[in-house]
Amino acid sequence: MDLLDHVRSVGAAAGLAGVGVCRADPFLDTRADLEARVAAGLHGGLRFTYADPETATDVRASFPWAERLVVAAYGYVPGAGNPGPGAPGTGRVARFAETDHYRGLRSGLAAVAATLLAAGHRAEVLVDDNRLVDRAAAVRAGIGWWGRSTMVLAPGPGPWLLLGSVVTDAELPIDEPMRRDCGTCVACLPACPTGALTDGVLDAAICLAHRLQAAGMIPPELREAVGDRVYGCDDCLEACPPGRRALGSDPAVRGRVDLIDLLAASDARLLREHAHWYIPRRHPRHLRRNALVALGNTGGRRADLVAAGYLGHPDWLLRAHAAWALGRLGGPVAGAALRAATAAESDTRVAAEVAAALGSLA
Ligand code: B12
Ligand code: SF4
Ligand code: SF4
């Protein structure tokens, strides 16, 4: 068996849904797209690959010996379950994050890298790393095609894939890009709850997946659209016909969290239970902020009492979002708590939220 066949069979045995090879040349089109999005503000303040497009699109800037990228996809559906319609007081987690699905991808790539190393080559695993644009690598290596949602789709799992690469100096034979596109389908565009998608371009500033993992306030105009989400967003993936069969074959209910329980948990517990989530500065305030918005949207038993309790929290960010939640929940408990806060609140940012919430009750 030649080295590439060996690499593919090791990848398949390790659970990878697809393994393709491409040259490690710079991704100049993606660099231009990254720069254009930053210039237009469509990056929404995100750093990641947007912070240094030159490094992100030229793997040789980090690994001068790179000749090839062995790119792999890991399908997490079926397997991740479905969060279901949900009961009041419960929040929803996007499927890629309901457990640490990256673990399967990383261990598959580690097996591929070990095979290359054993054959005397250099090999480094890159997953979700700011030194490589994973999707552009996957398209070049023939793993899948660009969807209008900006996701890379593959036959079978559709968009339900995580992507990663092994950078190597092995001059493996390369694969051809897939000749496929979305055709006439546009289903993901109207499915996006905030209108963040136009044809193949994402406005990260209003993408909920971004806003829920960004620091600071969730913009008021996006809070209703957050719905019951606490982490990630799957709406543009759920709408995608190529992924429907894989999704539909997964009856397990997973990815639900109890919002009141989350809001009562200690910092240590939140960070331990959600160790695989991207949380700005690893500060649990961002999870509590998301849970307060979701609680305002879903309601549920004791929702008003819990949100009212948060009006006394030492963190202004949480008081601000608790005020919004109370305005949305309404009722006598919410009204009384907000009126009391009007007199007591000294932070102008929170006072503005309290006033807006009281206004929405009137
Ligand atoms: C920053 C980032 C985000 C940001 C911005 C997303 C974005 N679209 O850029 C936020 C936080 C919003 C995000 C959200 C999600 N992310 Co993300 N994210 C990244 C990260 C770190 C960088 C992405 C990047 O460089 N974007 C740059 C812009 C310029 O690229 P783009 O938006 O993909 O745009 C391309 C298309 O427009 C394309 N294009 C080119 N030719 C053509 C032709 C046609 C016809 C079309 C339609 C398009 C098209 O050109 C652009 C690139 O040149 C990567 C990991 C990595 N290191 O690569 C993961 C990554 C892209 N994310 C991933 C995932 C799973 C998600 C979520 C599904 C998670 C969730 N459920 O909440 C959502 C999906 C939202 C969406 N529709 O994109 C996966 C995607 C896997 C896949 N199958 O595509 C990645 C690759 C992580 C991984 N290692 O698996 N993410
Ligand atoms: S992840 Fe959600 S908010 Fe972001 S583009 Fe997709 S549907 Fe829209
Ligand atoms: S929903 Fe349709 S247009 Fe959007 S990515 Fe999927 S196939 Fe393409």
Side-chain angles (χ1 to χ4, degrees):
M1 197 192 288
D2 69 15
L3 182 57
L4 180 54
D5 286 342
H6 190 32
V7 159
R8 287 197 213 275
S9 69
V10 163
L16 299 176
V19 175
V21 179
C22 67
R23 291 189 210 284
D25 299 344
F27 295 92
L28 297 177
D29 290 353
T30 308
R31 183 180 302 172
D33 285 342
L34 279 163
E35 287 166 354
R37 304 233 177 136
V38 172
L42 295 174
H43 66 315
L46 273 167
R47 294 197 56 74
F48 300 108
T49 49
Y50 296 95
D52 183 353
E54 221 167 291
T55 303
T57 55
D58 183 6
V59 82
R60 291 195 187 112
S62 310
F63 307 96
W65 42 263
E67 288 294 340
R68 297 286 187 268
L69 296 170
V70 181
V71 188
Y74 179 81
Y76 55 97
V77 163
N82 284 292
T90 69
R92 186 168 24 139
V93 178
R95 289 168 185 78
F96 82 107
E98 58 85 29
T99 186
D100 186 4
H101 290 291
Y102 277 94
R103 203 182 303 151
L105 174 65
R106 285 182 195 284
S107 67
L109 287 168
V112 166
T115 308
L116 291 165
L117 290 167
H121 296 287
R122 302 180 79 154
E124 290 275 348
V125 172
L126 289 183
V127 175
D128 237 4
D129 192 294
N130 300 333
R131 294 170 293 178
L132 181 63
V133 277
D134 292 327
R135 287 166 167 167
V139 170
R140 188 187 279 173
I143 297 282
W145 71 95
W146 286 116
R148 290 194 166 96
S149 59
T150 78
M151 298 297 292
V152 168
L153 319 183
W160 304 102
L161 293 171
L162 296 174
L163 302 168
S165 296
V166 177
V167 190
T168 182
D169 61 356
E171 293 192 35
L172 297 166
I174 57 168
D175 290 299
E176 287 302 312
M178 219 174 253
R179 287 175 185 280
R180 208 169 150 177
D181 58 30
C182 294
T184 55
C185 180
V186 289
C188 51
L189 308 184
C192 173
T194 64
L197 292 169
T198 47
D199 201 356
V201 178
L202 175 96
D203 181 354
I206 56 170
C207 172
L208 296 176
H210 166 42
R211 296 308 337 180
L212 291 170
Q213 58 171 241
M217 301 269 267
I218 296 179
E221 65 279 11
L222 296 181
R223 291 179 197 159
E224 270 189 57
V226 165
D228 63 350
R229 295 173 189 79
V230 290
Y231 191 77
C233 171
D234 276 345
D235 284 21
C236 54
L237 289 77
E238 283 173 357
C240 189
R244 283 224 191 104
R245 183 176 295 184
L247 195 60
S249 62
D250 204 345
V253 176
R254 287 207 204 102
R256 281 262 150 217
V257 291
D258 184 317
L259 296 169
I260 306 247
D261 182 54
L262 192 158
L263 286 163
S266 67
D267 286 4
R269 197 185 125 204
L270 286 178
L271 291 178
R272 190 178 62 247
E273 288 182 358
H274 307 294
H276 60 289
W277 290 4
Y278 176 83
I279 304 170
R281 296 186 278 283
R282 297 302 299 160
H283 200 312
R285 73 194 298 223
H286 300 109
L287 296 184
R288 296 192 179 106
R289 171 203 63 185
N290 297 353
L292 283 166
V293 172
L295 192 65
N297 285 325
T298 67
R301 212 167 61 84
R302 296 201 301 122
D304 51 0
L305 289 171
V306 171
Y310 262 86
L311 271 187
H313 199 280
D315 185 339
W316 72 269
L317 184 72
L318 300 180
R319 296 202 300 283
H321 287 79
W324 181 85
L326 287 166
R328 182 113 169 90
L329 290 166
V333 171
L338 287 166
R339 277 189 294 277
T342 311
E345 187 59 59
S346 57
D347 187 299
T348 52
R349 296 162 295 189
V350 185
E353 292 281 346
V354 170
L358 270 172
S360 72
L361 291 184

